[in-house]
Amino acid sequence: MTRTVTILGATGSVGRSTTALLEAAPEGAFAVEALVAGRDAAALAETARRLRARIAVLADPAGLPALREALAGSGIEAAAGPEAVIEAAARPADWTMAAIVGAAGLHPALAALRRGGTLALANKEALVCAGEIFLRAVRDAGATLLPVDSEHNAIFQALDARDPAMVERIILTASGGPFRTASLAEMRAATPEQAVRHPVWSMGAKISIDSATMFNKGLELIEAARLFPVSPDRIEVLVHPQSAVHGLVQYADGSLLAQLGTPDMRTPIAHALAWPNRMRADVARLDLAALGRLEFSAPDPVRFPALRLAREALLAGGGAPTILNAANEVAVARFLSRRLGFLDIARVVEETMERLGTPPVASLDAVIDLDAAARAEAERIASSLHAPA
Ligand SMILES: NC(=O)c1ccc[n+]([C@@H]2O[C@H](COP(=O)([O-])OP(=O)(O)OC[C@H]3O[C@@H](n4cnc5c(N)ncnc54)[C@H](OP(=O)(O)O)[C@@H]3O)[C@@H](O)[C@H]2O)c1
């Protein structure tokens, strides 16, 4: 049976890994319904032609003429603008990849969820910022939510959820990023070029900076608490520079189950694409003898305050994770455009959290309002700090 697939964020790093799997799959296994991207009309059109998508949609309305021109004669529909993105996400599809970066992916992911089917979630910011509202949408629609983040996908594979009381703890591994062994002075002087150079994974710019600050692991901590039946105090993070073990589950009988693989997003995406079955993925196989050793250590709370801030936000509940995520997005964008120092990213997040506290977020509108308020506050705080020389 052919499965219809939509990709939100089709031109990004996760989007491209997803399209690579679709192209390598047997003819007729998948049919592409909609492809959505932000502003890259040329890349979107080229992907839509290769995958014979039915519709290609850009969030940026200014890109529509270029998209139309690039798709001329292909029979593929072209559309643009935020409304068109939501309509594309809501078109019937069996399986949707949510791989837009940041809270910008929230509305499209919710639109896809509300029409049911399976949502493969890479866009962790959407789940962090909307929390319970996101999960309620999953339940109300009877949709299936599958984690694509490699750590959460690993835990999903290792987790036997039949008896949650027997799960003692889950462990998310972190590569440690490019500054795992850097001094505070080196981190203070870090440039965007140094920070995006991830030692193991090849990813988009925002998540690469999040890996360098470890806010990525902080967001993943909150994501794990939302996805799995384990209380926050039983979710741990271990630095594991080889990135071979992606996640572990400790059971009451002493068993520790892990999922291992090479650092290639095609593996967790393939798992989510074929679930509950499996499919072939042409990724390098993990050669444990060649790797030789696996190292693990506790994260350094001084150089990487992001984990503490994320845990505080998770325990505070309410709108605290929404604030953390929004402030981090603002700070990362400023760092990437050289208007903020690397260590100031966590400073901006912490100060925004302190100033805004823990307001309740009972509705989606409340989440959107709080996200906007946190962005404005974070911009104010960041502009009061000196930009790096
Ligand atoms: N990369 C990884 O290995 C990885 C692993 C685990 C989880 N994730 C998560 O997956 C998500 C995507 O990460 P990525 O590394 O693939 O990011 P990326 O390479 O920067 O790609 C982002 C994608 O989102 C699109 N986009 C940006 N703003 C948009 C908007 N307002 N509306 C619609 N589309 C928009 C971009 O389109 P344009 O190209 O047109 O701008 C692009 O297709 C993030 O939440 C990240 O945390 C990534």
Side-chain angles (χ1 to χ4, degrees), residues 8-16 36-41 43 57-60 85 98-102 104-105 108 121-125 148-151 201-207 210 216 219-220 265:
L8 310 172
T11 53
S13 168
V14 171
R16 290 194 304 276
V36 169
R39 19 181 23 132
D40 192 341
V57 182
L58 279 181
D60 178 12
V85 167
I100 292 173
V101 62
L121 184 74
N123 179 205
K124 67 196 90 184
E125 297 95 336
V148 165
D149 233 337
S150 58
E151 298 77 0
W201 294 91
S202 161
M203 310 183 286
K206 195 262 177 181
I207 185 177
D210 285 347
N216 183 46
L219 295 171
E220 289 180 5
M265 283 303 291

mmCIF file of all heavy atoms in Angstrom, residues 8-16 36-41 43 57-60 85 98-102 104-105 108 121-125 148-151 201-207 210 216 219-220 265, ligand 1:
data_model
loop_
_atom_site.group_PDB
_atom_site.id
_atom_site.type_symbol
_atom_site.label_atom_id
_atom_site.label_comp_id
_atom_site.label_asym_id
_atom_site.label_seq_id
_atom_site.Cartn_x
_atom_site.Cartn_y
_atom_site.Cartn_z
ATOM 1 N N LEU A 8 7.159 18.971 6.199
ATOM 2 C CA LEU A 8 7.208 20.372 6.631
ATOM 3 C C LEU A 8 8.671 20.674 6.950
ATOM 4 O O LEU A 8 9.237 20.058 7.862
ATOM 5 C CB LEU A 8 6.334 20.574 7.879
ATOM 6 C CG LEU A 8 4.907 20.018 7.795
ATOM 7 C CD1 LEU A 8 4.201 20.085 9.152
ATOM 8 C CD2 LEU A 8 4.113 20.783 6.739
ATOM 9 N N GLY A 9 9.272 21.584 6.188
ATOM 10 C CA GLY A 9 10.717 21.822 6.347
ATOM 11 C C GLY A 9 11.509 20.934 5.393
ATOM 12 O O GLY A 9 12.547 20.382 5.758
ATOM 13 N N ALA A 10 11.004 20.825 4.154
ATOM 14 C CA ALA A 10 11.557 19.848 3.201
ATOM 15 C C ALA A 10 12.970 20.188 2.736
ATOM 16 O O ALA A 10 13.706 19.298 2.300
ATOM 17 C CB ALA A 10 10.624 19.737 1.992
ATOM 18 N N THR A 11 13.354 21.461 2.792
ATOM 19 C CA THR A 11 14.671 21.849 2.257
ATOM 20 C C THR A 11 15.767 21.844 3.322
ATOM 21 O O THR A 11 16.927 22.103 3.012
ATOM 22 C CB THR A 11 14.592 23.274 1.662
ATOM 23 O OG1 THR A 11 14.038 24.144 2.674
ATOM 24 C CG2 THR A 11 13.715 23.313 0.426
ATOM 25 N N GLY A 12 15.414 21.564 4.574
ATOM 26 C CA GLY A 12 16.403 21.604 5.654
ATOM 27 C C GLY A 12 17.171 20.298 5.776
ATOM 28 O O GLY A 12 17.020 19.378 4.961
ATOM 29 N N SER A 13 17.970 20.237 6.819
ATOM 30 C CA SER A 13 18.818 19.069 7.037
ATOM 31 C C SER A 13 17.975 17.800 7.254
ATOM 32 O O SER A 13 18.175 16.774 6.588
ATOM 33 C CB SER A 13 19.706 19.369 8.251
ATOM 34 O OG SER A 13 20.344 18.232 8.693
ATOM 35 N N VAL A 14 16.989 17.867 8.150
ATOM 36 C CA VAL A 14 16.120 16.699 8.388
ATOM 37 C C VAL A 14 15.239 16.453 7.155
ATOM 38 O O VAL A 14 15.028 15.304 6.747
ATOM 39 C CB VAL A 14 15.244 16.922 9.648
ATOM 40 C CG1 VAL A 14 14.181 15.837 9.781
ATOM 41 C CG2 VAL A 14 16.125 16.949 10.889
ATOM 42 N N GLY A 15 14.758 17.536 6.547
ATOM 43 C CA GLY A 15 13.936 17.396 5.337
ATOM 44 C C GLY A 15 14.691 16.659 4.238
ATOM 45 O O GLY A 15 14.151 15.746 3.598
ATOM 46 N N ARG A 16 15.959 17.012 4.053
ATOM 47 C CA ARG A 16 16.750 16.372 2.981
ATOM 48 C C ARG A 16 17.024 14.903 3.313
ATOM 49 O O ARG A 16 17.015 14.048 2.427
ATOM 50 C CB ARG A 16 18.062 17.132 2.762
ATOM 51 C CG ARG A 16 17.853 18.507 2.128
ATOM 52 C CD ARG A 16 19.163 19.084 1.602
ATOM 53 N NE ARG A 16 20.201 19.169 2.617
ATOM 54 C CZ ARG A 16 20.350 20.171 3.495
ATOM 55 N NH1 ARG A 16 19.516 21.196 3.461
ATOM 56 N NH2 ARG A 16 21.320 20.167 4.383
ATOM 57 N N VAL A 36 6.827 21.634 2.160
ATOM 58 C CA VAL A 36 6.774 22.999 2.685
ATOM 59 C C VAL A 36 8.183 23.449 3.055
ATOM 60 O O VAL A 36 8.959 22.668 3.616
ATOM 61 C CB VAL A 36 5.860 23.049 3.933
ATOM 62 C CG1 VAL A 36 5.985 24.385 4.656
ATOM 63 C CG2 VAL A 36 4.408 22.789 3.550
ATOM 64 N N ALA A 37 8.493 24.705 2.718
ATOM 65 C CA ALA A 37 9.781 25.283 3.130
ATOM 66 C C ALA A 37 9.574 26.740 3.520
ATOM 67 O O ALA A 37 8.451 27.262 3.426
ATOM 68 C CB ALA A 37 10.809 25.154 2.009
ATOM 69 N N GLY A 38 10.646 27.397 3.945
ATOM 70 C CA GLY A 38 10.559 28.789 4.396
ATOM 71 C C GLY A 38 10.663 29.768 3.245
ATOM 72 O O GLY A 38 9.689 30.390 2.839
ATOM 73 N N ARG A 39 11.876 29.892 2.663
ATOM 74 C CA ARG A 39 12.059 30.878 1.598
ATOM 75 C C ARG A 39 12.836 30.379 0.395
ATOM 76 O O ARG A 39 12.908 31.089 -0.617
ATOM 77 C CB ARG A 39 12.742 32.139 2.134
ATOM 78 C CG ARG A 39 13.460 31.945 3.440
ATOM 79 C CD ARG A 39 14.129 33.166 4.008
ATOM 80 N NE ARG A 39 13.568 34.417 3.536
ATOM 81 C CZ ARG A 39 13.237 35.431 4.317
ATOM 82 N NH1 ARG A 39 13.395 35.302 5.600
ATOM 83 N NH2 ARG A 39 12.781 36.544 3.811
ATOM 84 N N ASP A 40 13.405 29.195 0.472
ATOM 85 C CA ASP A 40 14.281 28.731 -0.608
ATOM 86 C C ASP A 40 13.462 28.108 -1.754
ATOM 87 O O ASP A 40 13.264 26.891 -1.836
ATOM 88 C CB ASP A 40 15.281 27.712 -0.034
ATOM 89 C CG ASP A 40 16.399 27.408 -1.013
ATOM 90 O OD1 ASP A 40 16.230 27.672 -2.214
ATOM 91 O OD2 ASP A 40 17.437 26.889 -0.566
ATOM 92 N N ALA A 41 13.003 28.990 -2.674
ATOM 93 C CA ALA A 41 12.127 28.548 -3.761
ATOM 94 C C ALA A 41 12.828 27.548 -4.680
ATOM 95 O O ALA A 41 12.238 26.547 -5.094
ATOM 96 C CB ALA A 41 11.657 29.771 -4.564
ATOM 97 N N ALA A 43 15.386 25.440 -4.119
ATOM 98 C CA ALA A 43 15.576 24.108 -3.522
ATOM 99 C C ALA A 43 14.240 23.385 -3.380
ATOM 100 O O ALA A 43 14.146 22.173 -3.620
ATOM 101 C CB ALA A 43 16.255 24.236 -2.155
ATOM 102 N N VAL A 57 4.941 24.471 -1.175
ATOM 103 C CA VAL A 57 4.491 25.711 -0.522
ATOM 104 C C VAL A 57 5.640 26.373 0.237
ATOM 105 O O VAL A 57 6.354 25.725 1.005
ATOM 106 C CB VAL A 57 3.340 25.406 0.475
ATOM 107 C CG1 VAL A 57 2.833 26.686 1.113
ATOM 108 C CG2 VAL A 57 2.201 24.686 -0.229
ATOM 109 N N LEU A 58 5.764 27.681 0.020
ATOM 110 C CA LEU A 58 6.754 28.480 0.747
ATOM 111 C C LEU A 58 6.053 29.319 1.804
ATOM 112 O O LEU A 58 4.971 29.862 1.528
ATOM 113 C CB LEU A 58 7.454 29.453 -0.203
ATOM 114 C CG LEU A 58 8.600 28.953 -1.066
ATOM 115 C CD1 LEU A 58 9.127 30.111 -1.896
ATOM 116 C CD2 LEU A 58 9.719 28.343 -0.221
ATOM 117 N N ALA A 59 6.679 29.478 2.966
ATOM 118 C CA ALA A 59 6.095 30.357 3.990
ATOM 119 C C ALA A 59 6.202 31.820 3.565
ATOM 120 O O ALA A 59 5.324 32.630 3.847
ATOM 121 C CB ALA A 59 6.811 30.150 5.324
ATOM 122 N N ASP A 60 7.260 32.143 2.857
ATOM 123 C CA ASP A 60 7.499 33.537 2.455
ATOM 124 C C ASP A 60 6.746 33.856 1.155
ATOM 125 O O ASP A 60 7.094 33.334 0.091
ATOM 126 C CB ASP A 60 9.008 33.712 2.245
ATOM 127 C CG ASP A 60 9.350 35.111 1.783
ATOM 128 O OD1 ASP A 60 8.469 36.001 1.853
ATOM 129 O OD2 ASP A 60 10.500 35.309 1.350
ATOM 130 N N VAL A 85 0.664 27.491 3.996
ATOM 131 C CA VAL A 85 1.437 26.467 4.715
ATOM 132 C C VAL A 85 0.499 25.616 5.567
ATOM 133 O O VAL A 85 0.561 24.373 5.550
ATOM 134 C CB VAL A 85 2.535 27.126 5.600
ATOM 135 C CG1 VAL A 85 3.128 26.114 6.576
ATOM 136 C CG2 VAL A 85 3.623 27.734 4.726
ATOM 137 N N ALA A 98 7.489 16.676 10.681
ATOM 138 C CA ALA A 98 7.518 18.047 11.198
ATOM 139 C C ALA A 98 8.970 18.438 11.392
ATOM 140 O O ALA A 98 9.582 18.106 12.415
ATOM 141 C CB ALA A 98 6.749 18.127 12.516
ATOM 142 N N ALA A 99 9.540 19.125 10.401
ATOM 143 C CA ALA A 99 10.976 19.460 10.457
ATOM 144 C C ALA A 99 11.227 20.927 10.124
ATOM 145 O O ALA A 99 12.270 21.284 9.588
ATOM 146 C CB ALA A 99 11.775 18.549 9.526
ATOM 147 N N ILE A 100 10.244 21.776 10.444
ATOM 148 C CA ILE A 100 10.487 23.220 10.376
ATOM 149 C C ILE A 100 11.284 23.557 11.623
ATOM 150 O O ILE A 100 11.089 22.950 12.679
ATOM 151 C CB ILE A 100 9.151 23.990 10.324
ATOM 152 C CG1 ILE A 100 8.460 23.712 8.974
ATOM 153 C CG2 ILE A 100 9.359 25.495 10.528
ATOM 154 C CD1 ILE A 100 7.052 24.286 8.860
ATOM 155 N N VAL A 101 12.172 24.538 11.534
ATOM 156 C CA VAL A 101 12.982 24.862 12.706
ATOM 157 C C VAL A 101 12.279 25.923 13.562
ATOM 158 O O VAL A 101 11.712 26.875 13.036
ATOM 159 C CB VAL A 101 14.407 25.301 12.287
ATOM 160 C CG1 VAL A 101 14.400 26.554 11.423
ATOM 161 C CG2 VAL A 101 15.301 25.511 13.508
ATOM 162 N N GLY A 102 12.273 25.702 14.878
ATOM 163 C CA GLY A 102 11.759 26.687 15.821
ATOM 164 C C GLY A 102 10.256 26.643 16.018
ATOM 165 O O GLY A 102 9.541 25.810 15.426
ATOM 166 N N ALA A 104 8.165 28.446 14.821
ATOM 167 C CA ALA A 104 7.469 28.694 13.549
ATOM 168 C C ALA A 104 6.800 27.416 13.046
ATOM 169 O O ALA A 104 5.860 27.476 12.249
ATOM 170 C CB ALA A 104 8.450 29.219 12.504
ATOM 171 N N GLY A 105 7.264 26.270 13.524
ATOM 172 C CA GLY A 105 6.695 24.999 13.067
ATOM 173 C C GLY A 105 5.462 24.575 13.841
ATOM 174 O O GLY A 105 4.826 23.567 13.500
ATOM 175 N N PRO A 108 1.844 24.715 11.708
ATOM 176 C CA PRO A 108 1.785 23.648 10.691
ATOM 177 C C PRO A 108 1.742 22.250 11.315
ATOM 178 O O PRO A 108 0.973 21.392 10.862
ATOM 179 C CB PRO A 108 3.068 23.852 9.880
ATOM 180 C CG PRO A 108 3.467 25.272 10.116
ATOM 181 C CD PRO A 108 2.978 25.630 11.487
ATOM 182 N N LEU A 121 8.034 13.722 14.617
ATOM 183 C CA LEU A 121 8.409 15.015 15.186
ATOM 184 C C LEU A 121 9.925 15.195 15.301
ATOM 185 O O LEU A 121 10.580 14.560 16.116
ATOM 186 C CB LEU A 121 7.785 15.191 16.574
ATOM 187 C CG LEU A 121 8.041 16.543 17.231
ATOM 188 C CD1 LEU A 121 7.201 17.625 16.572
ATOM 189 C CD2 LEU A 121 7.764 16.495 18.721
ATOM 190 N N ALA A 122 10.455 16.083 14.456
ATOM 191 C CA ALA A 122 11.841 16.542 14.632
ATOM 192 C C ALA A 122 11.833 17.912 15.306
ATOM 193 O O ALA A 122 12.714 18.234 16.091
ATOM 194 C CB ALA A 122 12.536 16.629 13.274
ATOM 195 N N ASN A 123 10.796 18.692 15.002
ATOM 196 C CA ASN A 123 10.651 20.080 15.462
ATOM 197 C C ASN A 123 10.334 20.134 16.967
ATOM 198 O O ASN A 123 9.225 20.431 17.383
ATOM 199 C CB ASN A 123 9.523 20.717 14.622
ATOM 200 C CG ASN A 123 9.215 22.148 14.976
ATOM 201 O OD1 ASN A 123 8.102 22.598 14.736
ATOM 202 N ND2 ASN A 123 10.141 22.877 15.542
ATOM 203 N N LYS A 124 11.375 19.859 17.781
ATOM 204 C CA LYS A 124 11.178 19.767 19.234
ATOM 205 C C LYS A 124 10.667 21.066 19.829
ATOM 206 O O LYS A 124 9.955 21.079 20.828
ATOM 207 C CB LYS A 124 12.482 19.330 19.904
ATOM 208 C CG LYS A 124 13.613 20.336 19.818
ATOM 209 C CD LYS A 124 14.956 19.701 20.146
ATOM 210 C CE LYS A 124 15.611 19.156 18.899
ATOM 211 N NZ LYS A 124 16.856 18.453 19.091
ATOM 212 N N GLU A 125 11.031 22.222 19.199
ATOM 213 C CA GLU A 125 10.622 23.512 19.771
ATOM 214 C C GLU A 125 9.099 23.615 19.849
ATOM 215 O O GLU A 125 8.563 24.241 20.777
ATOM 216 C CB GLU A 125 11.173 24.675 18.947
ATOM 217 C CG GLU A 125 12.701 24.763 18.923
ATOM 218 C CD GLU A 125 13.310 24.069 17.715
ATOM 219 O OE1 GLU A 125 12.663 23.158 17.142
ATOM 220 O OE2 GLU A 125 14.434 24.431 17.319
ATOM 221 N N VAL A 148 11.492 11.738 16.316
ATOM 222 C CA VAL A 148 12.549 11.597 15.313
ATOM 223 C C VAL A 148 13.907 12.038 15.863
ATOM 224 O O VAL A 148 14.943 11.570 15.409
ATOM 225 C CB VAL A 148 12.182 12.414 14.048
ATOM 226 C CG1 VAL A 148 13.370 12.597 13.130
ATOM 227 C CG2 VAL A 148 11.053 11.720 13.296
ATOM 228 N N ASP A 149 13.893 12.927 16.849
ATOM 229 C CA ASP A 149 15.148 13.284 17.498
ATOM 230 C C ASP A 149 15.851 11.971 17.828
ATOM 231 O O ASP A 149 15.225 11.055 18.387
ATOM 232 C CB ASP A 149 14.815 14.033 18.810
ATOM 233 C CG ASP A 149 15.524 15.365 18.888
ATOM 234 O OD1 ASP A 149 16.553 15.532 18.217
ATOM 235 O OD2 ASP A 149 15.042 16.245 19.617
ATOM 236 N N SER A 150 17.134 11.870 17.508
ATOM 237 C CA SER A 150 17.771 10.551 17.584
ATOM 238 C C SER A 150 17.727 9.973 19.010
ATOM 239 O O SER A 150 17.538 8.771 19.185
ATOM 240 C CB SER A 150 19.217 10.631 17.094
ATOM 241 O OG SER A 150 19.930 11.561 17.864
ATOM 242 N N GLU A 151 17.852 10.853 20.016
ATOM 243 C CA GLU A 151 17.843 10.377 21.402
ATOM 244 C C GLU A 151 16.467 9.832 21.777
ATOM 245 O O GLU A 151 16.350 8.779 22.408
ATOM 246 C CB GLU A 151 18.207 11.518 22.355
ATOM 247 C CG GLU A 151 19.591 12.112 22.152
ATOM 248 C CD GLU A 151 19.696 13.046 20.950
ATOM 249 O OE1 GLU A 151 18.663 13.248 20.257
ATOM 250 O OE2 GLU A 151 20.785 13.563 20.685
ATOM 251 N N TRP A 201 27.593 15.549 14.206
ATOM 252 C CA TRP A 201 26.386 15.607 13.385
ATOM 253 C C TRP A 201 26.466 16.753 12.381
ATOM 254 O O TRP A 201 27.031 17.798 12.673
ATOM 255 C CB TRP A 201 25.158 15.844 14.269
ATOM 256 C CG TRP A 201 24.826 14.734 15.215
ATOM 257 C CD1 TRP A 201 25.262 14.598 16.499
ATOM 258 C CD2 TRP A 201 23.972 13.606 14.966
ATOM 259 N NE1 TRP A 201 24.728 13.460 17.061
ATOM 260 C CE2 TRP A 201 23.939 12.833 16.153
ATOM 261 C CE3 TRP A 201 23.226 13.179 13.864
ATOM 262 C CZ2 TRP A 201 23.192 11.658 16.262
ATOM 263 C CZ3 TRP A 201 22.488 12.019 13.964
ATOM 264 C CH2 TRP A 201 22.477 11.259 15.145
ATOM 265 N N SER A 202 25.839 16.563 11.222
ATOM 266 C CA SER A 202 25.706 17.638 10.248
ATOM 267 C C SER A 202 24.255 18.112 10.301
ATOM 268 O O SER A 202 23.336 17.365 9.971
ATOM 269 C CB SER A 202 26.068 17.074 8.868
ATOM 270 O OG SER A 202 25.558 17.912 7.890
ATOM 271 N N MET A 203 24.032 19.365 10.739
ATOM 272 C CA MET A 203 22.663 19.820 11.025
ATOM 273 C C MET A 203 22.501 21.274 10.605
ATOM 274 O O MET A 203 23.464 21.949 10.261
ATOM 275 C CB MET A 203 22.378 19.714 12.528
ATOM 276 C CG MET A 203 22.721 18.375 13.140
ATOM 277 S SD MET A 203 22.305 18.254 14.895
ATOM 278 C CE MET A 203 23.591 19.254 15.639
ATOM 279 N N GLY A 204 21.263 21.780 10.702
ATOM 280 C CA GLY A 204 20.996 23.187 10.428
ATOM 281 C C GLY A 204 21.685 24.084 11.456
ATOM 282 O O GLY A 204 22.132 23.621 12.512
ATOM 283 N N ALA A 205 21.760 25.389 11.116
ATOM 284 C CA ALA A 205 22.529 26.321 11.952
ATOM 285 C C ALA A 205 21.971 26.441 13.361
ATOM 286 O O ALA A 205 22.719 26.432 14.344
ATOM 287 C CB ALA A 205 22.555 27.698 11.285
ATOM 288 N N LYS A 206 20.640 26.551 13.496
ATOM 289 C CA LYS A 206 20.065 26.800 14.820
ATOM 290 C C LYS A 206 20.346 25.634 15.771
ATOM 291 O O LYS A 206 20.802 25.830 16.905
ATOM 292 C CB LYS A 206 18.563 27.078 14.677
ATOM 293 C CG LYS A 206 17.935 27.701 15.912
ATOM 294 C CD LYS A 206 17.250 26.683 16.790
ATOM 295 C CE LYS A 206 16.675 27.277 18.059
ATOM 296 N NZ LYS A 206 16.037 26.245 18.880
ATOM 297 N N ILE A 207 20.078 24.428 15.340
ATOM 298 C CA ILE A 207 20.298 23.280 16.238
ATOM 299 C C ILE A 207 21.796 23.071 16.490
ATOM 300 O O ILE A 207 22.191 22.602 17.561
ATOM 301 C CB ILE A 207 19.614 21.989 15.723
ATOM 302 C CG1 ILE A 207 19.755 20.858 16.754
ATOM 303 C CG2 ILE A 207 20.089 21.579 14.378
ATOM 304 C CD1 ILE A 207 19.058 19.569 16.387
ATOM 305 N N ASP A 210 22.482 25.346 19.260
ATOM 306 C CA ASP A 210 21.871 24.744 20.454
ATOM 307 C C ASP A 210 22.726 23.592 20.992
ATOM 308 O O ASP A 210 22.772 23.351 22.200
ATOM 309 C CB ASP A 210 20.469 24.202 20.136
ATOM 310 C CG ASP A 210 19.426 25.297 19.989
ATOM 311 O OD1 ASP A 210 19.706 26.451 20.365
ATOM 312 O OD2 ASP A 210 18.318 24.992 19.501
ATOM 313 N N ASN A 216 20.188 22.499 23.196
ATOM 314 C CA ASN A 216 19.535 21.406 22.475
ATOM 315 C C ASN A 216 19.186 20.281 23.440
ATOM 316 O O ASN A 216 18.058 19.761 23.420
ATOM 317 C CB ASN A 216 20.448 20.895 21.351
ATOM 318 C CG ASN A 216 19.776 19.807 20.529
ATOM 319 O OD1 ASN A 216 18.622 19.942 20.142
ATOM 320 N ND2 ASN A 216 20.479 18.717 20.284
ATOM 321 N N LEU A 219 16.295 21.389 25.628
ATOM 322 C CA LEU A 219 14.999 21.253 24.940
ATOM 323 C C LEU A 219 14.616 19.772 24.880
ATOM 324 O O LEU A 219 13.448 19.404 25.045
ATOM 325 C CB LEU A 219 15.077 21.832 23.516
ATOM 326 C CG LEU A 219 15.333 23.344 23.408
ATOM 327 C CD1 LEU A 219 15.603 23.740 21.945
ATOM 328 C CD2 LEU A 219 14.133 24.141 23.941
ATOM 329 N N GLU A 220 15.617 18.927 24.677
ATOM 330 C CA GLU A 220 15.347 17.488 24.589
ATOM 331 C C GLU A 220 14.906 16.908 25.936
ATOM 332 O O GLU A 220 14.127 15.952 25.980
ATOM 333 C CB GLU A 220 16.581 16.752 24.071
ATOM 334 C CG GLU A 220 16.836 17.029 22.599
ATOM 335 C CD GLU A 220 18.057 16.297 22.082
ATOM 336 O OE1 GLU A 220 18.657 15.503 22.834
ATOM 337 O OE2 GLU A 220 18.412 16.518 20.912
ATOM 338 N N MET A 265 20.850 10.928 10.653
ATOM 339 C CA MET A 265 19.424 11.087 10.946
ATOM 340 C C MET A 265 18.543 10.168 10.103
ATOM 341 O O MET A 265 17.362 9.983 10.405
ATOM 342 C CB MET A 265 18.996 12.542 10.750
ATOM 343 C CG MET A 265 19.410 13.460 11.875
ATOM 344 S SD MET A 265 18.796 12.921 13.498
ATOM 345 C CE MET A 265 17.044 13.193 13.326
HETATM 346 N N1 LIG B 1 19.375 18.499 11.740
HETATM 347 C C1 LIG B 1 19.291 17.477 12.560
HETATM 348 O O1 LIG B 1 20.084 16.535 12.487
HETATM 349 C C2 LIG B 1 18.194 17.436 13.604
HETATM 350 C C3 LIG B 1 18.169 16.365 14.503
HETATM 351 C C4 LIG B 1 17.133 16.291 15.428
HETATM 352 C C5 LIG B 1 16.156 17.267 15.478
HETATM 353 N N2 LIG B 1 16.233 18.312 14.598
HETATM 354 C C6 LIG B 1 15.189 19.344 14.672
HETATM 355 O O2 LIG B 1 14.540 19.406 13.403
HETATM 356 C C7 LIG B 1 14.149 20.733 13.103
HETATM 357 C C8 LIG B 1 14.793 21.139 11.776
HETATM 358 O O3 LIG B 1 16.187 21.149 11.930
HETATM 359 P P1 LIG B 1 17.162 21.252 10.671
HETATM 360 O O4 LIG B 1 18.532 21.081 11.203
HETATM 361 O O5 LIG B 1 16.672 20.365 9.582
HETATM 362 O O6 LIG B 1 16.939 22.797 10.291
HETATM 363 P P2 LIG B 1 17.331 23.541 8.930
HETATM 364 O O7 LIG B 1 18.346 22.755 8.189
HETATM 365 O O8 LIG B 1 17.631 24.936 9.298
HETATM 366 O O9 LIG B 1 15.958 23.487 8.095
HETATM 367 C C9 LIG B 1 14.822 24.187 8.521
HETATM 368 C C10 LIG B 1 13.688 23.963 7.551
HETATM 369 O O10 LIG B 1 12.571 24.742 7.992
HETATM 370 C C11 LIG B 1 12.147 25.609 6.922
HETATM 371 N N3 LIG B 1 11.579 26.799 7.518
HETATM 372 C C12 LIG B 1 12.211 27.749 8.251
HETATM 373 N N4 LIG B 1 11.331 28.675 8.672
HETATM 374 C C13 LIG B 1 10.118 28.302 8.190
HETATM 375 C C14 LIG B 1 8.811 28.839 8.291
HETATM 376 N N5 LIG B 1 8.548 29.978 8.959
HETATM 377 N N6 LIG B 1 7.792 28.174 7.688
HETATM 378 C C15 LIG B 1 8.020 27.059 6.978
HETATM 379 N N7 LIG B 1 9.237 26.491 6.863
HETATM 380 C C16 LIG B 1 10.280 27.106 7.462
HETATM 381 C C17 LIG B 1 13.409 25.841 6.113
HETATM 382 O O11 LIG B 1 13.099 26.305 4.803
HETATM 383 P P3 LIG B 1 14.180 27.185 3.932
HETATM 384 O O12 LIG B 1 15.298 26.263 3.588
HETATM 385 O O13 LIG B 1 13.404 27.599 2.731
HETATM 386 O O14 LIG B 1 14.589 28.333 4.814
HETATM 387 C C18 LIG B 1 13.989 24.429 6.125
HETATM 388 O O15 LIG B 1 13.290 23.615 5.230
HETATM 389 C C19 LIG B 1 14.616 21.589 14.294
HETATM 390 O O16 LIG B 1 13.547 21.729 15.185
HETATM 391 C C20 LIG B 1 15.707 20.762 14.919
HETATM 392 O O17 LIG B 1 15.845 21.000 16.308
HETATM 393 C C21 LIG B 1 17.214 18.412 13.669
#
